[in-house]
Amino acid sequence: MDSKVRLHITGPLYGGQQAVLSKDQAHYLSGVMRLSPGDTITVFDGASGAWRATIDAASKRGGTLTLGDRVAPQRDPPDIWLCFAPIKKARTDFIVEKATELGAARICPVTTRYTNSERIRRDRLQAHAVEAAEQCGGTFVPPVDEIVTLAKLLDHWPDDRALIFCDEALSDDPDWSGEGESNPWPPAPAAILIGPEGGFAPAERDRLRAHPQAMAVGLGPRILRADTAAVAALTVWQTTQGDWT
Amino acid sequence: MDSKVRLHITGPLYGGQQAVLSKDQAHYLSGVMRLSPGDTITVFDGASGAWRATIDAASKRGGTLTLGDRVAPQRDPPDIWLCFAPIKKARTDFIVEKATELGAARICPVTTRYTNSERIRRDRLQAHAVEAAEQCGGTFVPPVDEIVTLAKLLDHWPDDRALIFCDEALSDDPDWSGEGESNPWPPAPAAILIGPEGGFAPAERDRLRAHPQAMAVGLGPRILRADTAAVAALTVWQTTQGDWT
């Protein structure tokens, strides 16, 4: 049986290769999806496209696959990062899932002065990104970075990367207001920065304002929650500068 | 104390009016937010802007407010409906919350051939829309309709309203592919229709294709989950035809 199941496995992948499944993956194929030896699934490693693979064996103790033909080329997203201050667990998970679907190239959790959650489980968020790519037909999984402070992120900001920041409080500032509505958003390489629910601290705002590559943008007349702002900003960028055009 | 708490109460509202709180609202103000008589909050009824209100009394048994000045005018969203096939409970709740934040004028749950959830709790979804408006500074609450079948929705479709439908399967159809990427999205009055995770049935697709006001749109090269598609489509419409421009 040709199943629609897609699994991310460690590469590099090549035709004829025998690949070892993790216990969780083998259990998922046999116990949850009820697949048997001889059934085919699709696998990808995040770098070399998607491949058809035949199940050799799969049980709750483990399993193996044999790779056949490559069925889709590798497709990387445009070079857009999403930097965001973690919020409540379910909403942080949601941001990672949606950023993967919408084609973020990198996910950077950032702690700011008014961030409530200073810690993240990086491995858990990375697993969410993998699952989103598996579910949504992607061949790319954005890396999820360890959390850094906003100060450190800005200290090491790449010279060539635009920094698009979304801050409701800043939209009210007459010096900045409307900049993002009249000027086009910058092309890749770029990054979107979503502030915490409490906004940026005055010192952080001053630093962002003074940053030569930074640009404040507004996201409409209603106040958006941080998770909504992340999805909306990625959508606007993808439709104007990314690969939706 | 001037609190940032916002509550939706039944209108019409006018200055000097004494308004009765529900038990839940009175408990929220006194027990959760720890507000006392004399403290002020903001109230709105969805139709007459936002008003400052002073707490007269609030306990877990009930309470009253006295309305003062109007502090913000009524602001209605553009005339864009969101029609969607309900999915898992948490994701349906999420769609209603995000549609409210992003400025949908009406939320229409639709059951299609491949919809898993044929029932919704309309009152619960409406309460989610109210809560989203309370949290996000809005003065408008989109009505959530009772669920209808897609067939009935189309039977009674208003002559002047464009129907923008997002269907991954349709994007692959050479007759339709790319239409939404080259043509601009239609202006208000309009509606966005998001199909279920399983896509539309062939008969549904034929009917949508034949519909004189329908237009298929694509949402980029990656497959989006239904909840992501709802947020992305509302964002694209608001930035091109709505009130974000």
Side-chain angles (χ1 to χ4, degrees), chain A residues 8-239:
Chain A
H8 178 268
I9 63 177
T10 306
L13 305 181
Y14 51 90
Q17 176 185 10
Q18 192 173 56
V20 177
L21 294 165
S22 71
K23 275 189 188 176
D24 284 350
Q25 288 175 326
H27 171 69
Y28 173 71
L29 294 183
S30 62
V32 181
M33 300 307 295
R34 303 279 172 193
L35 299 178
S36 308
D39 290 341
T40 60
I41 65 167
T42 302
V43 297
F44 64 105
D45 65 355
S48 54
W51 299 72
R52 187 177 310 281
T54 305
I55 298 172
D56 302 321
S59 72
K60 63 185 175 186
R61 288 192 305 277
T64 57
L65 302 167
T66 298
L67 266 65
D69 293 332
R70 192 158 88 142
V71 292
Q74 178 62 24
R75 174 145 204 173
D76 293 331
D79 191 3
I80 179 77
W81 296 356
L82 177 67
C83 309
F84 73 100
I87 40 180
K88 284 185 199 159
K89 183 170 165 294
R91 291 182 188 269
T92 297
D93 292 352
F94 167 84
I95 287 177
V96 169
E97 174 187 303
K98 296 316 178 208
T100 304
E101 287 179 49
L102 293 167
R106 178 169 214 106
I107 296 174
C108 318
V110 178
T111 171
T112 67
R113 186 72 187 278
Y114 299 152
T115 303
N116 288 322
S117 321
E118 305 271 317
R119 285 183 206 164
I120 54 160
R121 283 273 313 271
R122 200 207 67 81
D123 57 340
R124 212 175 51 82
L125 293 182
Q126 186 67 69
H128 271 291
V130 166
E131 196 182 320
E134 286 175 344
Q135 293 240 348
C136 294
T139 51
F140 177 83
V141 178
V144 178
D145 290 346
E146 288 293 350
I147 196 164
V148 291
T149 61
L150 180 61
K152 195 171 280 184
L153 184 79
L154 295 180
D155 284 346
H156 299 283
W157 195 258
D159 283 341
D160 62 344
R161 185 170 298 270
L163 175 60
I164 302 160
F165 71 102
C166 309
D167 178 11
E168 295 300 336
L170 258 170
S171 312
D172 292 337
D173 182 327
D175 292 349
W176 283 82
S177 177
E179 187 182 350
E181 282 156 51
S182 50
N183 294 348
W185 290 31
I192 288 163
L193 171 63
I194 304 289
E197 302 276 352
F200 293 106
E204 291 172 336
R205 190 162 292 149
D206 289 346
R207 177 134 190 224
L208 283 167
R209 279 193 207 209
H211 199 287
Q213 284 129 270
M215 174 187 185
V217 297
L219 290 169
R222 284 161 295 270
I223 297 171
L224 304 182
R225 296 182 91 126
D227 55 345
T228 320
V231 174
L234 277 169
T235 301
V236 173
W237 192 88
Q238 289 288 14
T239 53

Side-chain angles (χ1 to χ4, degrees), chain B residues 23-85:
Chain B
K23 275 190 189 175
D24 284 351
Q25 288 175 326
H27 172 68
Y28 174 71
L29 294 183
S30 61
V32 180
M33 300 308 295
R34 303 278 172 194
L35 299 179
S36 309
D39 289 341
T40 61
I41 65 167
T42 302
V43 298
F44 64 104
D45 65 355
S48 54
W51 299 71
R52 187 177 313 279
T54 305
I55 299 173
D56 302 321
S59 71
K60 62 186 175 184
R61 288 192 306 276
T64 57
L65 301 169
T66 297
L67 266 66
D69 293 332
R70 194 157 87 142
V71 292
Q74 178 61 25
R75 174 145 204 171
D76 293 332
D79 191 3
I80 179 77
W81 297 355
L82 177 67
C83 309
F84 73 100

Side-chain angles (χ1 to χ4, degrees), chain A residues 75-78 91 94 97-98 100-104 131-132 135-138 181 218-229 231-233 235-236 238-239 243-245, chain B residues 75-78 91 94 97-98 100-104 131-132 135-138 181 218-229 231-233 235-236 238-239 243-245:
Chain A
R75 174 145 204 173
D76 293 331
R91 291 182 188 269
F94 167 84
E97 174 187 303
K98 296 316 178 208
T100 304
E101 287 179 49
L102 293 167
E131 196 182 320
Q135 293 240 348
C136 294
E181 282 156 51
L219 290 169
R222 284 161 295 270
I223 297 171
L224 304 182
R225 296 182 91 126
D227 55 345
T228 320
V231 174
T235 301
V236 173
Q238 289 288 14
T239 53
D243 62 9
W244 293 24
T245 45
Chain B
R75 174 145 204 171
D76 293 332
R91 290 181 189 269
F94 167 85
E97 173 187 304
K98 296 318 179 206
T100 304
E101 287 179 48
L102 294 167
E131 195 182 321
Q135 294 241 347
C136 294
E181 282 156 52
L219 290 168
R222 284 161 294 271
I223 297 171
L224 304 183
R225 296 182 92 127
D227 55 345
T228 320
V231 174
T235 300
V236 173
Q238 288 288 14
T239 54
D243 62 8
W244 294 24
T245 45

